[in-house]
């Protein structure tokens, strides 16, 4: 291997790794606040670029109807003033989609907001009613939603792959497109923004508080269901932006979410589902590992990535305290 | 007009009836102690009032009944609980814990600076440790932090669940001195305590719960002189509490 190939592999690894990192951060956040392991984050991510492609082609994507249906259920579950958010959000989303057909800038925004709305509605409709359930029951729901959303992705968008136009054309240097630079910059900015949100703003701290002690949070007037909705909204935003930025580099298709979500999950597990910095660094490690294994043994690329789970799980099991069931 | 009136409160956990037909009232500016042995249902009364357990019976706050009882709704009406076990945020700093105590007011756009200074004046030790993580505090400091966090919400009525539990006698005295000072400022207190001696020295009135029902109630001085209370709670407490 010469220096050029090494550089390319490093770049490729970091570029994918930071995206896994964002998804892993979102997973850790959602788990901390709601105890949900957000398996369908990959699907939320996949919905964004595909909805964008559909809008750009002047068509309304099926994800819009899914979001509106879940939004209607969400409104039914709420009482009184709580209905304002799902109803206004749904109406706004529909209007935005009607305006965004064929308009790339608006379509970008519409795809983004769709996934945020869908993420929050998913929490409110599927997870919030079972908030007292065990982590296992929540995980089963999450896996079920992953399968369902992936299937719906196939129904809505078909089996083809799409490559939306990148926001920035051309290459910065050999092997690094400007779009890649954008992905890197976005990932670092998001990580910094999340850090500032949790360290500097009382709203961010309230979210951490809801994750640390639910009773204590309620006694302070931090409603856990609100905290859950904010966590899912942040996760949806991260997933949608990552998906939109990444799709021009790796193609968007209904199955893209599965592998990306699983790799983010590996990274989140490396951090024990509790540590944000370890999860992010773990994700970069996963990206690098993947990029080098695909060079040396491309047939086993995915398998080798999941091999990383073994030492991580072993470490976690050594560290784990006994739990009485 | 009582500030808080509880009538015929029954609290259930599944099939288990933890509290049966408990009634009491609390006047503005008064301190009421719920005392009784372990498992008598004292904490369940608090949990029931706050809507954290399934209840029957009526709870009135001032003139208005409380149709929907949740900790959040009661917080809006100025009722704050300092729970048993304190329910702090161990991974956040002392100051963040305090600020979050005022979160509902912060959300309404109110400033928290003055309240923070007031809590620090009340508990200077918290100011010394303001940057420290709450999880690293001693038990007594954590209890101070829990009370301080509750005060950040500017409660009219403060519920305290076993504030002396697991603390050294000197620390307990310090906590109760602070509670007496708060009472002196006109705050209404509802205190659940196993340490009947400390509770009766602070409270104006007390309700003795046994097996989920009111066994005795009256003015604190009268109860202190009641032979049954002396025998069951003060006599036995002497050996344990020193």
């Amino acid at each position: 291997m010469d220096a050029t190939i090494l550089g390319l592999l490093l770049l490729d690894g970091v570029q994918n790794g930071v995206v896994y990192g964002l998804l892993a951060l979102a997973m850790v956040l959602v788990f901390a606040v709601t105890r949900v392991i957000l398996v369908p984050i990959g699907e939320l991510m996949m919905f964004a670029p595909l909805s964008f492609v559909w809008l750009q082609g002047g068509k309304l994507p099926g994800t819009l109807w899914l979001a509106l249906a879940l939004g209607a259920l969400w409104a039914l579950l709420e009482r009184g003033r709580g209905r304002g958010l799902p109803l206004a959000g749904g109406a706004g989303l529909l209007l935005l989609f009607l305006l965004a057909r064929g308009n790339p800038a608006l379509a970008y925004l519409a795809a983004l907001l769709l996934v945020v709305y869908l993420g929050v509605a998913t929490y409110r409709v599927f997870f919030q009613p079972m908030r007292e359930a065990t982590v296992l029951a929540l995980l089963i729901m999450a896996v079920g939603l992953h399968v369902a959303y992936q299937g719906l992705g196939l129904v809505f968008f078909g089996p083809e792959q799409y490559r939306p136009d990148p926001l920035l054309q051309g290459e910065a240097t050999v092997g690094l497109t400007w779009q890649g630079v954008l992905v890197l910059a976005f990932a670092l900015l998001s990580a910094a923004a999340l850090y500032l949100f949790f360290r500097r703003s009382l709203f961010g701290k309230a979210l951490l508080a809801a994750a640390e002690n639910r009773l204590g949070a309620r006694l302070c007037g931090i409603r856990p269901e609100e905290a859950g909705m904010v966590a899912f909204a942040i996760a949806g935003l991260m997933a949608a932006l990552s998906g939109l930025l990444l799709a021009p580099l790796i193609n968007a298709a209904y199955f893209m979410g599965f592998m990306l979500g699983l790799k983010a999950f590996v990274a989140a597990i490396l951090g024990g589902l509790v540590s944000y910095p370890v999860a992010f660094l773990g994700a970069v490690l996963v990206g690098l590992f993947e990029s080098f294994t695909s060079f040396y043994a491309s047939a086993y690329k995915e398998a080798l990535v999941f091999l990383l789970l073994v030492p991580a799980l072993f470490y976690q099991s050594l560290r784990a305290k006994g739990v009485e069931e | 007009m009582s500030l808080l009136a509880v009538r015929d409160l029954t609290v259930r956990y599944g099939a288990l009836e933890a509290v049966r037909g408990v009634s009491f009232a609390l006047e503005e500016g008064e301190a009421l102690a719920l005392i009784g042995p372990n498992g008598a249902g004292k904490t369940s009364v608090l949990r029931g009032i706050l809507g954290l357990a399934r209840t029957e019976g009526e709870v009135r706050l001032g003139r208005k009944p409380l149709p929907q009882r949740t900790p959040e709704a009661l917080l809006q009406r100025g009722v704050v609980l300092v729970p048993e076990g304190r329910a702090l945020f161990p991974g956040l700093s002392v100051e963040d814990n305090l600020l979050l105590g005022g979160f509902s007011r912060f959300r309404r756009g109110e400033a928290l600076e003055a309240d923070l200074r007031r809590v620090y004046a009340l508990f200077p030790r918290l100011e010394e440790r303001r940057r420290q993580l709450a999880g690293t505090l001693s038990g007594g400091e954590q209890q101070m932090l829990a009370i301080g966090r509750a005060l950040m919400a500017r409660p009219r009525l403060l519920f305290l669940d076993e504030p002396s539990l697991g603390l050294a006698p000197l620390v307990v005295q310090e906590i109760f001195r602070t509670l007496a000072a708060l009472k002196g400022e006109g705050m209404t207190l509802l205190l659940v305590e196993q340490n009947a001696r400390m509770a009766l020295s602070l409270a104006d009135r007390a309700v003795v719960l046994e097996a989920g029902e009111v066994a005795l109630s009256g003015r604190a001085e009268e109860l202190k002189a009641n032979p049954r209370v002396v025998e069951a709670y003060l006599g036995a407490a002497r050996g344990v509490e020193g």
Side-chain angles (χ1 to χ4, degrees):
Chain A
M1 183 194 300
D2 60 18
T4 322
I5 296 181
L6 180 69
L8 286 180
L9 290 179
L10 280 176
L11 262 180
D12 185 54
V14 170
Q15 181 188 294
N16 288 331
V18 290
V19 174
Y20 304 155
L22 286 184
L23 296 182
L25 287 184
M27 280 182 118
V28 175
L29 171 67
V30 165
F31 181 73
V33 175
T34 64
R35 297 178 307 127
V36 172
I37 297 174
L38 192 57
V39 186
I41 194 167
E43 276 63 48
L44 290 177
M45 180 183 187
M46 165 266 289
F47 282 158
L50 288 173
S51 303
F52 171 70
V53 168
W54 246 242
L55 272 177
Q56 236 188 346
K59 294 173 286 184
L60 288 178
T63 43
L64 174 64
W65 311 124
L66 174 66
L68 292 180
L70 288 182
L73 283 175
W74 172 11
L76 283 178
L77 286 170
E78 298 283 355
R79 253 178 269 138
R81 273 193 306 173
R83 286 193 175 155
L85 186 61
L87 292 179
L93 204 59
L94 182 61
L95 191 67
L96 185 60
F97 266 77
L98 293 174
L99 292 173
R101 279 175 298 180
N103 179 336
L106 271 185
Y108 221 81
L109 182 68
L112 198 69
L113 292 179
L114 169 94
V115 172
V116 173
Y117 183 79
L118 190 60
V120 177
T122 299
Y123 168 71
R124 188 62 189 85
V125 172
F126 296 108
F127 291 112
Q128 209 258 326
M130 59 187 293
R131 63 192 173 282
E132 305 295 338
T134 60
V135 173
L136 180 63
L138 292 167
L139 175 65
I140 291 169
M141 176 59 96
V143 171
L145 282 173
H146 152 71
V147 174
Y149 282 2
Q150 189 170 36
L152 286 171
L154 179 59
V155 173
F156 295 152
F157 302 113
E160 296 86 17
Q161 300 197 26
Y162 298 88
R163 181 170 284 237
D165 291 331
L167 282 181
L168 297 175
Q169 307 277 354
E171 286 199 336
T173 62
V174 179
L176 179 64
T177 59
W178 281 113
Q179 182 76 12
V181 175
L182 199 62
V183 169
L184 282 172
F186 157 72
L188 295 179
L189 271 179
S190 304
L194 276 183
Y195 178 83
L196 287 178
F197 177 63
F198 288 120
R199 277 300 158 93
R200 295 261 174 264
S201 121
L202 201 55
F203 285 103
K205 285 170 185 166
L207 213 53
L208 293 180
E212 288 213 340
N213 192 312
R214 294 164 81 77
L215 173 65
R218 291 188 71 183
L219 295 173
C220 291
I222 304 161
R223 294 170 56 218
E225 57 270 33
E226 254 176 40
M229 290 190 338
V230 173
F232 267 74
I234 293 177
L237 185 69
M238 302 284 239
L241 271 170
S242 316
L244 284 167
L245 287 172
L246 206 55
L249 300 174
I250 64 164
N251 291 353
Y254 79 97
F255 53 80
M256 79 184 272
F258 176 61
M259 273 299 157
L260 289 167
L262 263 182
K263 281 166 194 162
F265 178 69
V266 173
I269 291 292
L270 287 174
L273 273 175
V274 285
S275 166
Y276 296 89
V278 177
F280 194 82
L281 292 177
V284 176
L285 180 74
V286 168
L288 287 172
F289 192 74
E290 181 191 38
S291 136
F292 279 89
T293 49
S294 61
F295 179 72
Y296 284 113
S298 59
Y300 301 107
K301 168 182 134 175
E302 315 287 10
L304 289 172
V305 166
F306 295 120
L307 208 63
L308 273 180
L309 263 183
V310 177
L313 288 174
F314 187 58
Y315 172 68
Q316 295 296 345
S317 78
L318 283 181
R319 240 177 39 139
K321 300 181 197 88
V323 179
E324 283 183 41
E325 287 275 325
Chain B
M1 188 80 228
S2 323
L3 179 57
L4 176 77
V6 174
R7 197 180 307 147
D8 261 339
L9 186 76
T10 295
V11 181
R12 284 203 184 85
Y13 298 107
L16 178 80
E17 244 179 25
V19 174
R20 245 186 328 275
V22 166
S23 304
F24 60 86
L26 188 54
E27 306 300 324
E28 186 112 42
E30 188 186 37
L32 178 78
L34 291 179
I35 56 179
N38 221 344
K42 306 184 298 289
T43 295
S44 297
V45 169
L46 291 189
R47 292 179 60 87
I49 295 173
L50 285 167
L52 291 168
R54 218 153 54 88
T55 59
E56 283 157 33
E58 197 190 39
V59 177
R60 292 176 75 93
L61 196 64
R63 277 175 206 292
K64 285 178 245 163
L66 287 163
Q68 208 198 0
R69 290 207 307 275
T70 61
E72 296 89 342
L74 274 125
L75 179 67
Q76 296 302 323
R77 305 275 304 271
V79 182
V80 181
L81 167 71
V82 180
E84 189 183 340
R86 297 155 200 146
L88 296 172
F89 311 122
L92 297 178
S93 73
V94 167
E95 188 150 306
D96 285 343
N97 269 272
L98 289 174
L99 289 172
L100 286 169
F103 183 70
S104 56
R105 293 182 40 230
F106 169 79
R107 199 141 68 156
R108 291 198 296 269
E110 294 177 37
L112 302 174
E113 278 307 310
D115 303 80
L116 202 57
R117 277 200 300 278
R118 176 164 166 258
V119 170
Y120 284 151
L122 217 48
F123 300 109
R125 242 188 300 169
L126 293 182
E127 184 161 25
E128 288 164 28
R129 306 200 185 285
R130 52 197 283 248
R131 305 230 173 272
Q132 214 170 307
L133 295 186
T136 66
L137 298 181
S138 72
E141 289 162 350
Q142 290 195 8
Q143 190 61 53
M144 292 173 196
L145 180 55
I147 295 172
R149 186 179 71 178
L151 292 178
M152 292 295 291
R154 290 201 185 159
R156 275 203 299 165
L157 171 52
L158 192 60
F159 287 2
L160 295 131
D161 196 355
E162 305 274 9
S164 77
L165 196 71
L167 300 183
L170 273 178
V171 182
V172 173
Q173 281 176 15
E174 195 180 339
I175 301 266
F176 272 80
R177 263 202 303 277
T178 312
L179 293 180
L182 291 173
K183 179 170 176 278
E185 290 172 21
M187 190 173 291
T188 314
L189 301 175
L190 177 56
L191 175 68
V192 159
E193 254 306 341
Q194 275 198 63
N195 186 336
R197 184 180 305 277
M198 290 307 284
L200 288 176
S201 69
L202 175 72
D204 304 297
R205 288 190 304 122
V207 173
V208 181
L209 285 182
E210 278 170 8
E213 293 183 69
V214 176
L216 276 172
S217 68
R219 301 203 55 79
E221 300 92 74
E222 290 164 21
L223 286 174
K224 261 192 268 187
N226 183 315
R228 204 175 139 194
V229 174
V230 171
E231 158 119 32
Y233 301 109
L234 301 178
R238 194 172 297 145
V240 180
E241 314 294 347

